Amino acid sequence: MAGKDKTIAKRLSSFSFLNLPKDSKKVDVRSFILSQSKHTTTSPHNDPSSSLPSRPIRRRFWKDVLVKEVPEGHQIHLDTRPVRTPSSKTPLVIPRHKPHLATAIALEWDLLTTAQQASKQHFIPLTSLVGRAEQIREADTHSTNNKLRREIVDMVMRYLDTDTLLCWSPEPTSTPQQEPTMGGREPTLRELQIETAVPIITYLTTHVWPGVEIHPVADGEGSIIPAAQPDTTKHVIRGWIAALPAYELAGLERAVLAGKGLLGAIRLVVEWSEHLAELRPDGQEKRFGVEEAATAASLEVAWQTRMWGEVEDTHDVEKEDLRRQLGSVVLLVAGEGEEAEAQLSDVGSGWRRVKERSVEEELKRQQSWR
């Protein structure tokens, strides 16, 4: 073992920063290295735990973001360069009848501050969403048995038996935390859940899937294990989802993942899709928009934070991000119209509120590295 230490010491003697004693035969190499490490200052460039990036931050290489019309539709240009799809690397083309969608994509690219942000999907969610829709559309043209489409249908159908709209809280035996309001007692969580879920379920079983039965999967009165929907109900809903156009299917996938529920997502897509306009009743006074969908998806969280308080930089950010994600679905499936333009304004405000903190943090990090 001593011979091995002598060999190690001889090799390490060439490194001046160790300052090994001249008589390296008598040194305990292991103890010496440990003692030296206590007095060694780690450089941020070789410290694996350092938060410094492996390469310097590059500011965005474009000055202006433009929407240009082409024969196929609309393209987003960074100065003279067109934005390309993540999968096929071809120029991203927005259908001609979706000008608000093109404007929203240009908006999110104009909000980027560095080139690295363009490689992260959470900075360009609408661009990635359109890329997903184009990926589905391209797969549809190459195969009648689209594997990607089947995978999306299987994924969203798993949310049916655990849908947040169908999971109701049990009736509380007592409500000591709730104080009576001026108009009477505060409604319970169960009452709010039923009040929110019933109109959505009624709409779907009347206008989208007439005659289909949808039952609560957890009504709070029996087993905690969710009850499955009837096989006929699953078969009808699965077939309806599988036949959706590419943009509607991509929008449904995004809404399901954002809201953790299937029925509310379908209700939102049906309300705004230009291809599903025949399912909407004539003379409808109030539309089911982003705010209604977000309220239905986060009902329990809103009820709990109203009772116990909100965690700063957590609940408020999640609230805005949920509305941003659902707003991107509206822009994806909607066509031209004043309603879609109003949603564009709301989504733009949400984008700015959600990204405000991340942009400030990015600038602070860049200043600290200079």
Side-chain angles (χ1 to χ4, degrees):
M1 197 68 178
K4 185 175 181 181
D5 286 346
K6 286 172 57 180
T7 304
I8 296 175
K10 186 176 180 180
R11 291 178 179 176
L12 294 178
S13 62
S14 60
F15 295 91
S16 59
F17 68 88
L18 286 176
N19 295 321
L20 286 173
K22 293 182 179 180
D23 189 5
S24 59
K25 295 180 181 180
K26 298 180 180 180
V27 71
D28 185 346
V29 178
R30 294 179 178 82
S31 301
F32 180 77
I33 293 177
L34 288 175
S35 64
Q36 288 291 306
S37 65
K38 297 178 182 178
H39 307 288
T40 302
T41 302
T42 304
S43 170
H45 298 287
N46 55 27
D47 182 8
S49 63
S50 174
S51 60
L52 285 175
S54 58
R55 56 181 178 178
I57 293 295
R58 293 184 301 153
R59 301 198 69 83
R60 51 188 269 180
F61 56 81
W62 63 93
K63 181 180 179 181
D64 298 317
V65 182
L66 309 171
V67 178
K68 292 188 176 182
E69 289 192 13
V70 295
E72 299 81 9
H74 304 278
Q75 285 186 354
I76 315 302
H77 282 240
L78 310 179
D79 294 334
T80 59
R81 300 179 178 93
V83 173
R84 299 179 180 274
T85 59
S87 57
S88 61
K89 304 302 181 183
T90 57
L92 183 67
V93 180
I94 310 301
R96 184 174 298 278
H97 56 278
K98 295 180 182 291
H100 302 306
L101 177 60
T103 304
I105 294 177
L107 170 64
E108 73 176 5
W109 279 89
D110 196 38
L111 289 173
L112 299 183
T113 58
T114 66
Q116 277 86 345
Q117 291 176 346
S119 63
K120 301 175 182 178
Q121 289 191 4
H122 62 276
F123 278 105
I124 49 171
L126 194 52
T127 305
S128 62
L129 180 58
V130 175
R132 180 68 162 176
E134 287 296 321
Q135 186 181 12
I136 298 172
R137 187 185 62 80
E138 184 179 354
D140 286 340
T141 59
H142 289 85
S143 175
T144 56
N145 190 17
N146 189 344
K147 180 182 178 182
L148 177 60
R149 179 179 285 272
R150 293 200 314 271
E151 291 175 349
I152 295 175
V153 173
D154 291 340
M155 186 276 295
V156 299
M157 282 297 297
R158 287 197 292 268
Y159 282 84
L160 180 61
D161 288 335
T162 58
D163 199 299
T164 53
L165 284 177
L166 303 178
C167 297
W168 299 344
S169 174
E171 282 287 2
T173 55
S174 61
T175 56
Q177 296 87 359
Q178 296 184 9
E179 297 181 0
T181 60
M182 294 296 294
R185 70 173 181 85
E186 191 77 15
T188 65
L189 175 59
R190 179 184 176 86
E191 291 172 344
L192 290 175
Q193 288 172 326
I194 296 176
E195 181 182 353
T196 303
V198 169
I200 296 176
I201 297 173
T202 302
Y203 183 96
L204 295 177
T205 55
T206 302
H207 303 288
V208 183
W209 315 302
V212 170
E213 296 181 358
I214 299 178
H215 307 291
V217 297
D219 60 5
E221 298 179 354
S223 173
I224 61 174
I225 301 176
Q229 297 294 334
D231 291 339
T232 303
T233 299
K234 291 182 178 181
H235 179 74
V236 171
I237 296 178
R238 175 181 288 273
W240 184 86
I241 296 175
L244 286 175
Y247 274 65
E248 275 70 17
L249 184 59
L252 180 64
E253 180 188 29
R254 167 67 62 85
V256 168
L257 293 175
K260 304 298 186 293
L262 177 61
L263 299 182
I266 292 176
R267 178 70 179 88
L268 183 69
V269 170
V270 169
E271 184 65 34
W272 292 96
S273 170
E274 58 182 344
H275 293 288
L276 304 175
E278 70 278 0
L279 299 178
R280 297 191 288 270
D282 297 332
Q284 183 177 340
E285 297 180 358
K286 185 178 180 181
R287 304 204 69 170
F288 188 84
V290 171
E291 190 61 35
E292 289 77 12
T295 300
S298 58
L299 184 62
E300 185 173 355
V301 174
W303 190 83
Q304 295 287 356
T305 54
R306 189 168 62 249
M307 287 188 59
W308 307 108
E310 188 178 80
V311 179
E312 188 178 0
D313 290 338
T314 301
H315 290 120
D316 52 347
V317 175
E318 291 176 352
K319 176 182 177 181
E320 295 295 344
D321 188 62
L322 174 60
R323 284 156 176 77
R324 181 183 66 155
Q325 300 285 0
L326 296 176
S328 67
V329 174
V330 171
L331 290 171
L332 182 72
V333 302
E336 299 177 284
E338 296 180 358
E339 297 87 352
E341 187 173 357
Q343 293 296 330
L344 170 61
S345 176
D346 293 341
V347 172
S349 301
W351 248 293
R352 291 188 176 92
R353 286 192 295 267
V354 171
K355 290 189 176 181
E356 185 179 17
R357 291 186 181 87
S358 60
V359 170
E360 291 178 354
E361 292 173 359
E362 187 77 24
L363 293 176
K364 290 179 181 178
R365 289 173 61 193
Q366 293 180 30
Q367 292 173 358
S368 66
W369 295 335
R370 293 173 182 171

